[in-house]
Amino acid sequence: MSHTAGAPLVSVIVCTYNRCESLRDTLEALTRQVVEDGVGVEVIIVDNNSSDGTAGVVQAAATASPWPVRYIFEANQGKSHALNRGMREARGDLMAFTDDDVIPTPSWVQQLVRALEAHRADVVGGRILPLWFKSPPTWLERQEELLGMLAILDRGPRPIVATRQDAYYVYGSNMAFRASVYREVGAYRTDLGPTGRRLWRGDDTDFVLRAFHIGKRIVYAPDVVVHHKVSPERMRLSYFRRWKFESGR
């Protein structure tokens, strides 16, 4: 599909590490995006030292995609390094982010574009709903804090503008911002965020807070929806203990 001059070009950035089968699902969802005439899309996959079949999965997706799909290898280990590389490579007016274990709805890109325009926002994010691999234990379903540790987010059916009291209305697996925000805020901190199997966090939170503190308008838009896979091993207390310990470090 062609990009019309004057309409936005959206750079969708996905960082990945040894999850080629899960990434395949994400790529299939991205090829099914439905956007208004003229809106352009490019998909940027940043491979952060994967040793599995990631490159082949991306190549296969590129042949079937209505949008350009670009494969980039980033040797510096760590998601923040991969995010920074993706943003440097992006050509779009808007940068959209999701993860290799997330399934965006078919209207995801278009809803991000609409939300940025409708709310005069600089940064937008939306709902991240669970895609359980098996029925979760009851103690997990009822704990909002634990769901947040799984990057599950649902702030309800109405848009919310972030305030100084609570700027945590968007998560990195369902987020977009104007390219100008990156130029003003700068890169992700590479001492934060997951690296390999290390569960360190804080990279997205730090970036969003820096944007907030220089006056950027951050909006939660409930119509922007993705589904986040939750595997059985992430439904155990041992996972949450490890998450808390490593995040505390």
Side-chain angles (χ1 to χ4, degrees):
M1 303 174 77
S2 61
H3 173 223
T4 300
L9 172 63
V10 183
S11 297
V12 178
I13 299 171
V14 182
C15 302
T16 190
Y17 174 67
N18 281 342
R19 281 182 176 165
C20 67
E21 293 305 320
S22 181
L23 176 66
R24 193 192 311 273
D25 298 335
T26 303
L27 283 165
E28 287 180 2
L30 291 174
T31 64
R32 294 194 297 269
Q33 293 296 299
V34 179
V35 297
E36 294 176 356
D37 290 343
V39 173
V41 179
E42 66 167 358
V43 178
I44 299 172
I45 306 299
V46 185
D47 181 351
N48 196 202
N49 280 322
S50 297
S51 57
D52 60 2
T54 292
V57 166
V58 177
Q59 182 178 7
T63 63
S65 174
W67 338 105
V69 176
R70 297 161 57 197
Y71 172 85
I72 296 166
F73 187 85
E74 174 53 56
N76 289 316
Q77 193 72 56
K79 187 179 179 183
S80 293
H81 287 291
L83 285 166
N84 290 337
R85 178 67 183 278
M87 291 191 294
R88 290 197 302 270
E89 298 279 351
R91 300 166 182 157
D93 317 284
L94 309 176
M95 298 184 188
F97 299 84
T98 193
D99 289 332
D100 58 7
D101 57 352
V102 171
I103 308 296
T105 56
S107 63
W108 178 65
V109 167
Q110 187 59 53
Q111 293 291 358
L112 285 169
V113 172
R114 286 177 183 164
L116 282 162
E117 294 174 352
H119 300 291
R120 305 184 313 281
D122 301 296
V123 181
V124 297
R127 298 186 199 220
I128 306 171
L129 304 179
L131 188 60
W132 305 108
F133 279 28
K134 68 174 187 177
S135 296
T138 54
W139 55 263
L140 175 55
E141 286 185 291
R142 299 170 184 169
Q143 292 288 333
E144 184 176 344
E145 180 184 0
L146 296 183
L147 292 174
M149 291 161 64
L150 294 172
I152 304 302
L153 178 69
D154 187 352
R155 295 284 191 173
R158 297 182 182 278
I160 303 171
V161 179
T163 65
R164 186 172 299 277
Q165 286 71 36
D166 193 348
Y168 301 96
Y169 283 120
V170 298
Y171 288 176
S173 53
N174 184 10
M175 179 174 74
F177 49 75
R178 302 181 188 277
S180 58
V181 172
Y182 166 56
R183 291 192 290 270
E184 292 182 55
V185 174
Y188 275 72
R189 280 178 52 179
T190 55
D191 60 330
L192 298 175
T195 300
R197 293 187 58 81
R198 191 182 70 183
L199 294 178
W200 287 16
R201 292 293 186 267
D203 49 340
D204 298 319
T205 301
D206 172 75
F207 187 93
V208 171
L209 286 175
R210 280 190 283 144
F212 180 81
H213 288 311
I214 64 169
K216 297 305 178 184
R217 184 175 170 88
I218 300 164
V219 177
Y220 161 82
D223 293 336
V224 179
V225 180
V226 302
H227 292 87
H228 190 188
K229 298 174 183 173
V230 184
S231 58
E233 59 267 22
R234 297 175 71 200
M235 301 182 202
R236 299 171 183 157
L237 284 172
S238 58
Y239 173 83
F240 294 103
R241 284 195 294 265
R242 180 179 164 220
W243 194 102
K244 277 288 191 181
F245 178 78
E246 295 202 13
S247 294
R249 291 174 63 192

